[in-house]
């Protein structure tokens, strides 16, 4: 026979179980209602984001018509240079105006605000009172326009073949470096590495960077920029890539002229490095009883002092555009555009405002003649990687360096006697 107690228990409901089910149903209902409220508030009761009475266009006008220092602090250039840059982009048809939406001045201001303050898109959108999509679109267009302008102004002067006149009166450099037209060096720019390639972009300090090779003249203007290489690549490898591909359009100099390079580069027909196994950097010669004691040290000291112009260019560039020291998460192609665009802005400011305060701080004793012609077509001399670095070319340049070293030392000793 069946147990009557078990039959009773099986037919009874558990009150605790019913209470638990009710609590679960209440929580589900509450969560659903909350989600519905949030959805309605987000998509049907939206509060406007751009509520400032000062629109982006009005903000740019206010800055340009206000205190000159405010314009310099925000846009990293004087107001006259800002207006000239916008007019140049318009005249060259590099940047068109969005009628009724975003002016050219506003687009250029957006780029300068981002690169000059390392601002992200959301902060920039709030400042200029536009949607994120509008800010991103205009930033891309203005950046490409400035990059294209850079293709026109980042080049040697048409008559670049020897030391400029303002340095010819300096016995420290002339006539020893008579055929020198500038300097070449690499610099590490902060980068945002693609997924899976982080290791390749880490430099010797373990920072994620790209190695950028630049050439400049003694007027502190860039004459060539080659960007995009991983931070782990050495300088000579980057140069080999730049010189070995015609599409990169390296500006070969007229025969006999050359660039100063550091010991990380090979000697060649157009590239003059210092002597190895001898003191080189200028700071190594500072202080009592630290003057050059050998012909090689004297040559290296003066070589380093003259080549320092490229370091000053990098100093001005990174001080003016902080984005180069902490890059946003852009694609590699856009990061390359950013580097070239910043160098183009650097050149544009140098060409049309020689009194710029950042250049004044960094240029030291080099004060070029303000009547110098700022822009010219690139003069491409005969050259090529194989011709520049073959055994004959390297031997000839090494002998030329030895001749300069001997003559420089004889003059130095004679003046001390």
């Amino acid at each position: 026979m069946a147990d009557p107690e078990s039959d009773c228990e099986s037919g009874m409901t558990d009150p605790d179980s019913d209470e638990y089910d009710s609590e679960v149903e209440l929580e589900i209902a509450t969560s659903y209602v909350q989600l519905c409220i949030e959805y309605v508030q987000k998509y049907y009761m939206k509060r406007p984001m751009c509520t400032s009475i000062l629109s982006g266009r009005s903000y740019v006008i206010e800055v340009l018509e206000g205190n000159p220092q405010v314009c310099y602090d925000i846009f990293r250039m004087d107001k006259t240079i800002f207006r000239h840059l916008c007019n140049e982009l318009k005249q060259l048809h590099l940047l068109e105006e969005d009628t009724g939406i975003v002016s050219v001045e506003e687009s250029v201001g957006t780029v300068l605000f981002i690169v000059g303050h390392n601002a992200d898109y959301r902060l920039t959108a709030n400042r200029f009172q536009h949607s994120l999509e509008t800010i991103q679109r205009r930033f891309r267009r203005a950046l490409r326009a400035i990059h294209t302008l850079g293709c026109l102004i980042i080049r040697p002067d048409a008559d670049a073949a020897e030391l400029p006149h303002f340095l010819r009166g300096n016995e420290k450099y002339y006539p020893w470096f008579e055929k020198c037209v500038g300097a070449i060096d690499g610099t590490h720019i902060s980068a945002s590495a693609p997924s899976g390639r982080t290791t390749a972009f880490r430099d010797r300090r373990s920072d994620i960077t790209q190695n950028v090779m630049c050439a400049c003249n003694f007027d502190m203007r860039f004459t060539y920029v080659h960007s995009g290489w991983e931070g782990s690549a050495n300088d000579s490898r980057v140069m080999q890539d730049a010189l070995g591909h015609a599409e990169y359009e390296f500006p070969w100099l007229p025969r006999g002229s050359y660039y100063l390079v550091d010991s990380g580069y090979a000697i060649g027909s157009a590239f003059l490095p210092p002597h190895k196994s001898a003191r080189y950097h200028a700071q190594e010669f500072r202080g009592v009883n630290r003057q050059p004691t050998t012909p090689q040290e004297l040559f290296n000291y003066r070589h380093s002092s003259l080549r320092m112009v490229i370091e000053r260019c990098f100093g001005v560039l990174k001080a003016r555009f902080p984005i180069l020291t902490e890059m946003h998460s852009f694609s590699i192609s856009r990061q390359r555009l950013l580097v070239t665009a910043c160098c183009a802005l650097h050149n544009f400011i140098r060409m049309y405002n020689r009194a710029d305060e950042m250049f004044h701080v960094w240029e030291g004793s080099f004060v070029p003649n303000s009547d110098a012609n700022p822009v010219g077509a690139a003069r491409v001399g005969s050259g090529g990687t194989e011709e520049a670095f073959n055994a004959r070319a390297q031997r000839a340049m090494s002998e030329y360096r030895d001749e300069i070293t001997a003559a420089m030392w004889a003059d130095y000793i004679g003046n001390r006697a």
Side-chain angles (χ1 to χ4, degrees), residues 223-383:
T223 57
Y224 182 74
V225 177
H226 185 60
S227 61
W229 268 87
E230 300 92 337
S232 60
N234 58 49
D235 290 346
S236 60
R237 180 67 185 90
V238 179
M239 172 181 273
Q240 183 181 5
D241 180 67
L243 305 186
H245 295 82
E247 62 269 24
Y248 295 145
E249 299 181 349
F250 180 81
W252 289 99
L253 301 173
R255 193 177 299 278
S257 300
Y258 57 86
Y259 295 102
L260 297 181
V261 297
D262 65 19
S263 56
Y265 298 99
I267 193 169
S269 61
F271 310 99
L272 181 63
H275 292 281
K276 294 184 178 181
S277 301
R279 285 187 295 168
Y280 175 64
H281 296 288
Q283 57 266 29
E284 297 181 53
F285 297 93
R286 293 173 184 164
V288 181
N289 298 325
R290 301 192 68 183
Q291 293 84 3
T293 57
T294 66
Q296 290 75 21
E297 286 188 354
L298 178 64
F299 176 89
N300 283 5
Y301 168 66
R302 294 183 177 181
H303 181 286
S304 173
S305 178
L306 188 58
R307 194 191 63 85
M308 199 65 68
V309 64
I310 188 70
E311 303 295 345
R312 286 194 288 272
C313 285
F314 291 148
V316 174
L317 184 71
K318 293 179 181 181
R320 193 186 302 274
F321 304 118
I323 197 171
L324 299 178
T325 60
E326 191 174 352
M327 186 65 66
H328 292 175
S329 298
F330 297 125
S331 65
I332 290 297
S333 59
R334 187 162 302 163
Q335 292 179 58
R336 295 186 66 175
L337 286 180
L338 265 169
V339 173
T340 307
C342 289
C343 291
L345 292 170
H346 171 103
N347 276 16
F348 193 88
I349 295 170
R350 183 60 172 173
M351 288 159 52
Y352 297 107
N353 184 18
R354 308 193 66 78
D356 179 85
E357 61 183 68
M358 285 193 179
F359 281 111
H360 179 71
V361 170
W362 284 88
E363 67 183 344
S365 60
F366 293 113
V367 185
N369 184 356
S370 60
D371 297 330
N373 182 25
V375 178
R379 180 175 178 178
V380 181
S382 60

Side-chain angles (χ1 to χ4, degrees), residues 59-87:
Y59 173 69
V60 172
I61 293 174
E62 180 183 80
V63 171
L64 294 178
E65 293 181 352
N67 188 293
Q69 188 61 43
V70 173
C71 180
Y72 192 91
D73 292 341
I74 293 175
F75 294 141
R76 318 304 288 168
M77 60 179 66
D78 290 342
K79 58 178 66 177
T80 55
I81 304 302
F82 180 92
R83 290 193 176 98
H84 185 40
L85 173 62
C86 295
N87 291 334

Side-chain angles (χ1 to χ4, degrees), residues 21 139 154 173 184 193-195 209 320 336 373 386 393 403:
D21 292 342
F139 175 75
I154 300 177
Y173 308 122
I184 290 178
S195 178
T209 63
R320 193 186 302 274
R336 295 186 66 175
N373 182 25
E386 294 183 1
E403 292 175 2

Side-chain angles (χ1 to χ4, degrees), residues 86-116:
C86 295
N87 291 334
E88 196 77 9
L89 294 174
K90 292 177 187 178
Q91 293 175 4
L92 295 173
H93 303 289
L94 299 178
L95 188 61
E96 302 296 334
E97 189 164 330
D98 281 349
T99 306
I101 302 177
V102 182
S103 65
V104 169
E105 288 76 12
E106 202 174 343
S107 296
V108 173
T110 298
V111 172
L112 295 175
F113 187 78
I114 290 175
V115 302

